[in-house]
Amino acid sequence: MGSAPAQIPTSFGHELRACLRCRLVKTYDQFRDAGCENCPFFKMEEDHERIVEVTTPNFNGIISVMDPSRSWAARWLRIGKFAPGCYTLAVSEPLTEEMQHICQEERVQYVPPKRM
Amino acid sequence: MLVLIFPISVVIGGGITTVVCLMQKFVDRGSDLQIRSVVALDHFKNYIYVEADKEAHVKEAIKGMRNIYANQKILLVPIREMTDVLCVESKAIDLSRDTWVRMKIGTYKGDLAKVVDVDNVRQRVTVKLIPRIDLQALASKLDGREVVKKKAFVPPPRFMNIDEARELHIRVERRRDPMTGDYFENIGGMLFKDGFMYKAVSLKSIIAQNVTPTFDELEKFNRPSENGEAEFGGLSTLFANRKKGHFMKGDAVIVIKGDLKNLKGWVEKVDEENVLIRSGMKGLPDPLAVNEKELCKYFEPGNHVKVVSGTHEGATGMVVKVDQHVLIILSDMTKEHVRVFADHVVESSEVTTGVTMILSFWSNNPSFGVIIRLENEAFQVLKGNPDRPEVALVKLREIKCKLDRKISVQDRYKGKQGPVRHIYKGVLFIYDRHHLEHAGFICAKCTSCIVVGGSRSGANRNGGDSLSRFSNFKAPAPVPPSPRRFQRGGMGYNGMEGKGWKGRGGRGGRDDSLLGTTVKIRLGPFKGYRGPVVEVKGDSVRVELEMKIVTVDRNAISDNVSVITPSRDISRYSMGSETPMHPSRTPLHPYMTPMRDSGATPIHDGVRTPMRDRAWNPYTPMSPPRDNWEEGNPGSRGTSPQYQPGSPPSRAYEAPTPGSGWASTPGGSYSDAGMPRDHSSAYANAPSPYIQSTPGQPMTPSSTSYLPGTPGGQPMTPGTGLDVMSPVIGGDAEAWFMPDILVDIHKVGEDSDLGVIRDVSDGTCKVSLGSSGEGDTIMALPSELEIVPPRKNDRVKIVGGQFRGSIGTLIGIDGSDGIVKIEENLDVKILDLAILAKFVQP
């Protein structure tokens, strides 16, 4: 397998949150401990406030990806390049402007969620 | 690379758990687990989708997993559908302050609530609700007393009254909210302010999508201490949730938000969310693009609109006041003021009218009237006030009973003419299509009407005699609304008894002893026929047979005890210009028959005939009128099959024509009345009363309408019947009198004579007395004249219909129709006997 898998959520309740950029799903505490594996630049482990800014508990659907590079679903969802783990199909809100700037600076891709 | 997706059935709610577990398993087992991904969707809680190369991998992976139904058959989905699965609708509803939501659970389930604070971190919002507090129970609880919790008891929403609470010794704490600075009353842990309850709930327990507050709810919410803005705020969310495409080109709109607030304009084009409006204001780009959410439909007082959604859906009315988003409309139907959202209204010139025409009775001021318009909750009724048209709105419950009366007399009303639809207490309700008010109904005293038409039967004349008998009517040619000349068995005419029907009063007069009685003709060409005596003239009496009046020798008749046909009279009338209205009663008589063919009044004949036969048939006692029917029918209507003795008197006569509508038929839709399909409904009501009232009249159409099969049936066509009728009738009525036809002259106070019309001018006729017109010439009014029914082989002149004026030979009689061979073209036509007159060569 490719990269090391991201942390797998340990509980399924309210604490689950999804990263607004990569849509990785973990609990608040997990983000606080290890940040977002796909988006280290957010530095969630350092700045706890940021967790709230860049993750959301409003998400729809969950997908476990064992091997993103070989999963059609993962590529479809644009998470083919990310680490194996649990992701959400859709998040509720886009990243804030500020965060988007960070993404641009880091040259990482960000695709805002499509609003129906 | 082939992608295969396998849906796996799981325990509901366990999807996410399974997905994550599988992930964990993967991490633990490594390459043992050969599936690629697993998806769980929110809206398909009973399935997860596994992506793998082979089914075997899937099987292996789910082995031992909880939440997965074991031994299930593993299916495959095509990729196409997988993409659907992955494309979830983003369910983000940005909850913001002042958003309208609804509670999902608890006491307040379904209640409208307004968001006052959003706490994203903890996924909670504070909402404002109208409290449903049972103060008593609360007091008891706080006191530590036993609270008997009533099961499923949901207190009604009511604003919290602090004083009330205090009275019950409930501890009320006043607290100040640090964040907003507002004061809250804390009662039992619940926060109240301004009567509202403020509650912090989790996001999961509220619905934020498609929350459309109803008008009432909004009103309640905006009650205290809400300024206009707040209301706006609520409404703007309301609009935000509105469906798109709400505006149409040409709509008048007003901007409600933003810089251009209060700008009025007209919609030029709608393009999804953006609406282009033209405002006509200088300085602004024209057209102007405005977001749909910032617009609201605008109406001006005086606009006629229709409500298309909401509680008042279907109502039409005129805008009388515009108050921001709320319009006050004067409903067409109920004449009440209705408050609706501008959103729910479109401009329309449609006016909701109803249909029924039932004579009814209501209890406020005991009176009667005819329903001319049916609306959702009320009826518009034309009161039985002959002096002036009076319309009242009557709620359903105020209607006491439906009065079924039918009349089939055509009357003239101040120049207006039309068939009488209902008669009651000496008041006639005449329907005139051309009358613009009150759905065409005119209310008139019977005395102010005369019967139109020179019906042979002398219907016109019903006159004085009969009337005198039946005191309700005054002499000259009053419309015999109430007809019924003799009801079988002695009816006192008292104007509409409703027994059966109203026929026209017979002519009264000369010899009271015999007059009015039903006799049976024993001798002569009419042997066997029964009929009421309409006139006595010395040695001969005139007996009214189904369709005509015949003169028989006095000796040739014998009194017959049982009277049958009241209908007879009626039929007579039908002959003339009676309009289909007759049918009203029809059940009894055929008058109803629509069967008129060829131009003659379509309606009557057909109907009548059957009746007539029926009546006449000496072999048929009352009860089997049915038999009669058969007889009559086959010839004329071909409905005979319907009337088998055994058969239930089902067929109501479709009153032929729309005009005839039985009282019960909805006025408006004559067609319905006439329409075969409707019979049951239409007549089901009507006939019944009659049926009961008339003993031995099984025929009454109780249930099905009788559809005259015959050609006469044409009139059945909705509405046309009437139309057809009228002109025809009109024709009959007005211009049947033509030169060279044999007529009976009935001058008031004189004997009736035979004569031949020689000249017609200005509405009066010059008639030469004598059966061949060789006698003196007198002047007579058409109303004093009556066509003498031609006999077989007579030369006839057609006085009505499309062949009016033609001369022919009556080569046969078929029920109420005559078969005429027209001389000029040798065509053979079947015409109503009513429009055939004996031709006398000048």
Side-chain angles (χ1 to χ4, degrees):
Chain A
M1 306 175 242
S3 43
Q7 285 179 311
I8 296 160
T10 49
S11 75
F12 311 110
H14 273 208
E15 304 108 47
L16 278 186
R17 300 183 76 91
C19 173
L20 287 173
R21 181 190 90 98
C22 64
R23 283 180 269 136
L24 182 67
V25 172
K26 293 205 297 192
T27 61
Y28 177 88
D29 294 329
Q30 285 176 312
F31 278 118
R32 197 187 49 191
D33 292 337
C36 177
E37 286 86 345
N38 299 312
C39 322
F41 45 86
F42 281 144
K43 302 215 196 322
M44 294 184 216
E45 60 274 24
E46 288 166 31
D47 183 2
H48 298 324
E49 297 261 328
R50 183 146 289 174
I51 300 175
V52 181
E53 268 186 273
V54 296
T55 65
T56 175
N58 286 330
F59 53 85
N60 205 345
I62 189 161
I63 174 170
S64 279
V65 184
M66 288 76 188
D67 195 350
S69 56
R70 290 173 70 194
S71 163
W72 166 84
R75 278 181 290 125
W76 175 271
L77 292 166
R78 297 178 210 275
I79 54 178
K81 301 272 173 65
F82 294 148
C86 295
Y87 291 85
T88 181
L89 300 180
V91 285
S92 53
E93 64 226 39
L95 268 180
T96 55
E97 290 263 349
E98 207 186 316
M99 296 299 120
Q100 289 194 38
H101 279 310
I102 299 182
C103 292
Q104 281 159 19
E105 281 171 28
E106 301 287 334
R107 318 268 174 96
V108 288
Q109 198 199 18
Y110 170 63
V111 177
K114 194 155 73 166
R115 296 297 207 99
M116 296 268 186
Chain B
M1 171 159 58
L2 201 58
V3 182
L4 297 169
I5 289 125
F6 303 89
I8 303 292
S9 172
V10 296
V11 171
I12 291 183
I16 298 191
T17 316
T18 311
V19 167
V20 177
C21 282
L22 279 169
M23 189 71 212
Q24 186 68 58
K25 198 166 169 183
F26 173 76
V27 169
D28 298 340
R29 303 274 199 80
S31 52
D32 277 355
L33 208 68
Q34 301 203 43
I35 56 179
R36 302 199 191 287
S37 67
V38 190
V39 188
L41 294 163
D42 278 0
H43 43 252
F44 284 135
K45 293 195 184 359
N46 53 341
Y47 271 97
I48 59 168
Y49 295 86
V50 182
E51 186 194 349
D53 284 345
K54 288 194 213 179
E55 187 184 321
H57 297 322
V58 179
K59 274 210 169 114
E60 177 69 32
I62 63 175
K63 216 163 27 175
M65 276 287 199
R66 301 175 73 198
N67 293 335
I68 294 184
Y69 293 114
N71 300 330
Q72 55 180 282
K73 183 158 170 59
I74 298 184
L75 309 155
L76 195 61
V77 291
I79 298 197
R80 232 182 323 268
E81 285 176 37
M82 183 58 169
T83 55
D84 294 334
V85 161
L86 290 180
C87 289
V88 290
E89 187 177 305
S90 184
K91 72 159 184 212
I93 299 284
D94 285 325
L95 277 177
S96 50
R97 301 192 74 193
D98 291 346
T99 315
W100 292 108
V101 295
R102 274 192 200 279
M103 305 300 292
K104 268 198 227 176
I105 41 155
T107 328
Y108 298 90
K109 180 173 174 180
D111 280 0
L112 188 72
K114 195 187 243 200
V115 174
V116 295
D117 187 45
V118 181
D119 181 357
N120 257 321
V121 174
R122 272 174 288 157
Q123 297 295 294
R124 293 175 80 80
V125 288
T126 311
V127 293
K128 184 166 113 172
L129 291 156
I130 299 179
R132 286 178 188 264
I133 303 287
D134 182 355
L135 281 171
Q136 285 285 1
L138 186 60
S140 305
K141 191 163 82 170
L142 290 178
D143 279 353
R145 277 181 265 151
E146 270 290 312
V147 175
V148 179
K149 182 143 199 237
K150 291 175 226 172
K151 282 236 161 122
F153 173 63
V154 178
R158 209 167 48 94
F159 288 110
M160 169 60 79
N161 190 324
I162 307 298
D163 298 323
E164 223 178 288
R166 287 215 171 97
E167 268 174 44
L168 288 169
H169 303 296
I170 297 177
R171 185 142 167 252
V172 177
E173 251 179 61
R174 203 147 188 178
R175 291 250 199 92
R176 189 174 156 278
D177 182 14
M179 294 222 276
T180 59
D182 288 326
Y183 282 93
F184 285 90
E185 265 75 54
N186 187 324
I187 298 176
M190 298 180 283
L191 292 172
F192 297 93
K193 180 166 99 96
D194 298 326
F196 287 99
M197 179 163 116
Y198 288 73
K199 201 173 156 74
V201 294
S202 92
L203 277 180
K204 293 232 161 73
S205 56
I206 55 171
I207 303 174
Q209 259 179 323
N210 292 330
V211 172
T212 312
T214 64
F215 194 68
D216 300 317
E217 284 171 324
L218 265 184
E219 282 207 318
K220 273 187 125 180
F221 253 91
N222 294 327
R223 186 213 66 170
S225 69
E226 290 283 338
N227 48 16
E229 276 309 308
E231 184 181 332
F232 247 124
L235 286 169
S236 62
T237 330
L238 171 64
F239 297 142
N241 290 341
R242 220 171 39 193
K243 291 189 263 264
K244 288 212 171 58
H246 198 62
F247 292 111
M248 299 217 328
K249 184 173 169 181
D251 277 349
V253 291
I254 183 171
V255 181
I256 50 164
K257 254 174 137 180
D259 299 334
L260 298 162
K261 189 167 160 184
N262 284 336
L263 178 70
K264 291 179 203 155
W266 286 270
V267 177
E268 176 77 16
K269 188 183 159 192
V270 178
D271 174 22
E272 286 203 359
E273 285 204 7
N274 284 326
V275 180
L276 292 168
I277 61 171
R278 270 190 196 285
S279 61
M281 262 220 223
K282 296 203 178 93
L284 287 174
D286 200 19
L288 184 59
V290 181
N291 190 299
E292 190 203 35
K293 298 194 179 94
E294 295 168 8
L295 279 179
C296 173
K297 277 207 266 208
Y298 181 72
F299 294 94
E300 300 219 328
N303 282 11
H304 194 273
V305 296
K306 179 174 172 156
V307 184
V308 296
S309 64
T311 32
H312 301 281
E313 185 176 339
T316 60
M318 190 166 80
V319 177
V320 292
K321 188 172 179 228
V322 175
D323 181 13
Q324 291 175 344
H325 298 271
V326 174
L327 306 178
I328 300 178
I329 293 176
L330 183 68
S331 166
D332 283 335
M333 307 185 295
T334 57
K335 297 282 183 278
E336 285 167 357
H337 285 91
V338 168
R339 294 188 76 183
V340 288
F341 281 128
D343 249 7
H344 297 161
V345 165
V346 294
E347 190 152 355
S348 141
S349 53
E350 184 188 318
V351 177
T352 325
T353 56
V355 153
T356 8
M357 308 244 190
I358 314 176
L359 193 57
S360 37
F361 203 97
W362 68 98
S363 58
N364 285 359
N365 25 1
S367 51
F368 57 95
V370 174
I371 295 180
I372 55 174
R373 200 179 265 177
L374 179 68
E375 333 232 293
N376 281 356
E377 290 159 22
F379 299 108
Q380 203 171 72
V381 177
L382 176 65
K383 278 170 113 159
N385 187 340
D387 298 328
R388 57 190 169 85
E390 199 182 314
V391 175
L393 274 177
V394 175
K395 299 254 190 275
L396 188 57
R397 61 174 172 278
E398 292 169 35
I399 293 182
K400 244 201 208 154
C401 66
K402 191 175 89 169
L403 305 166
D404 278 317
R405 307 284 142 148
K406 286 254 187 185
I407 252 306
S408 18
V409 159
Q410 188 168 18
D411 309 303
R412 208 177 300 163
Y413 171 66
K414 274 220 181 122
K416 292 234 185 227
Q417 87 181 17
V420 175
R421 286 226 166 274
H422 306 286
I423 304 177
Y424 189 71
K425 283 194 180 156
V427 177
L428 310 181
F429 289 95
I430 300 157
Y431 175 74
D432 181 4
R433 301 175 289 125
H434 303 295
H435 189 68
L436 298 171
E437 293 182 295
H438 310 132
F441 268 98
I442 305 169
C443 177
K445 274 216 195 84
C446 59
T447 54
S448 49
C449 299
I450 70 169
V451 175
V452 169
S455 65
R456 292 183 246 173
S457 49
N460 309 1
R461 306 206 285 112
N462 330 289
D465 307 358
S466 33
L467 291 188
S468 57
R469 264 168 106 99
F470 305 108
S471 48
N472 290 2
F473 303 95
K474 307 197 186 122
V479 171
S482 8
R484 270 196 199 198
R485 241 204 309 191
F486 350 106
Q487 281 35 214
R488 322 186 234 138
M491 29 218 107
Y493 188 88
N494 44 11
M496 324 264 208
E497 264 335 270
K499 261 275 183 129
W501 53 245
K502 317 187 196 246
R504 243 203 248 209
R507 263 175 263 230
R510 311 261 160 133
D511 187 346
D512 270 287
S513 58
L514 203 50
L515 251 185
T517 51
T518 303
V519 299
K520 188 165 168 179
I521 301 175
R522 294 183 305 112
L523 305 170
F526 300 105
K527 176 177 170 180
Y529 283 29
R530 269 187 222 138
V533 175
V534 298
E535 206 182 311
V536 177
K537 240 188 321 186
D539 267 351
S540 55
V541 293
R542 288 176 63 76
V543 182
E544 187 184 312
L545 303 185
E546 223 160 296
M547 251 200 312
K548 48 199 183 182
I549 300 183
V550 296
T551 307
V552 292
D553 196 271
R554 209 180 181 153
N555 301 328
I557 58 175
S558 74
D559 271 88
N560 197 318
V561 191
S562 64
V563 177
I564 303 181
T565 36
S567 26
R568 201 83 33 93
D569 296 342
I570 309 231
S571 43
R572 185 158 295 250
Y573 303 126
S574 338
M575 291 287 269
S577 26
E578 301 286 327
T579 14
M581 302 295 297
H582 271 308
S584 39
R585 285 317 176 90
T586 23
L588 307 183
H589 18 247
Y591 303 112
M592 309 287 278
T593 29
M595 316 277 272
R596 290 257 173 150
D597 27 41
S598 57
T601 30
I603 313 192
H604 310 307
D605 279 2
V607 180
R608 287 211 274 187
T609 4
M611 277 314 286
R612 283 201 229 136
D613 293 345
R614 211 172 25 105
W616 301 79
N617 197 327
Y619 316 109
T620 54
M622 263 331 249
S623 31
R626 297 188 226 133
D627 296 344
N628 291 339
W629 271 112
E630 281 182 358
E631 288 177 45
N633 299 350
S636 33
R637 299 210 242 176
T639 41
S640 37
Q642 300 330 24
Y643 303 90
Q644 321 287 346
S647 56
S650 40
R651 286 344 193 90
Y653 285 104
E654 286 269 356
T657 34
S660 31
W662 298 34
S664 47
T665 31
S669 32
Y670 278 126
S671 37
D672 290 352
M675 280 317 159
R677 51 186 161 73
D678 248 4
H679 21 253
S680 3
S681 43
Y683 299 103
N685 313 337
S688 7
Y690 299 117
I691 300 202
Q692 284 122 29
S693 46
T694 47
Q697 294 297 335
M699 285 312 295
T700 21
S702 17
S703 33
T704 37
S705 340
Y706 164 67
L707 256 206
T710 46
Q714 295 102 1
M716 307 293 266
T717 27
T720 49
L722 195 49
D723 296 352
V724 173
M725 289 304 299
S726 343
V728 173
I729 302 276
D732 277 351
E734 279 151 13
W736 62 265
F737 37 97
M738 299 177 70
D740 306 324
I741 60 172
L742 190 68
V743 290
D744 260 335
I745 308 156
H746 299 278
K747 289 261 188 200
V748 175
E750 290 175 9
D751 290 343
S752 77
D753 284 328
L754 284 177
V756 180
I757 298 179
R758 286 300 174 200
D759 195 12
V760 177
S761 50
D762 274 334
T764 59
C765 303
K766 229 188 227 166
V767 183
S768 298
L769 296 172
S771 56
S772 39
E774 69 279 7
D776 295 346
T777 307
I778 59 163
M779 303 295 291
L781 288 172
S783 51
E784 296 168 325
L785 304 177
E786 189 194 316
I787 300 183
V788 171
R791 310 234 191 108
K792 191 168 161 186
N793 293 326
D794 277 1
R795 270 184 93 198
V796 293
K797 189 165 193 174
I798 303 168
V799 300
Q802 58 184 128
F803 300 103
R804 182 169 178 271
S806 300
I807 313 239
T809 307
L810 185 65
I811 57 177
I813 294 182
D814 178 16
S816 62
D817 301 324
I819 304 166
V820 180
K821 186 156 146 188
I822 300 179
E823 286 181 2
E824 2 180 64
N825 50 13
L826 295 180
D827 258 6
V828 176
K829 294 280 174 208
I830 300 179
L831 303 169
D832 192 334
L833 276 172
I835 56 165
L836 298 177
K838 191 168 151 87
F839 177 68
V840 177
Q841 195 70 44

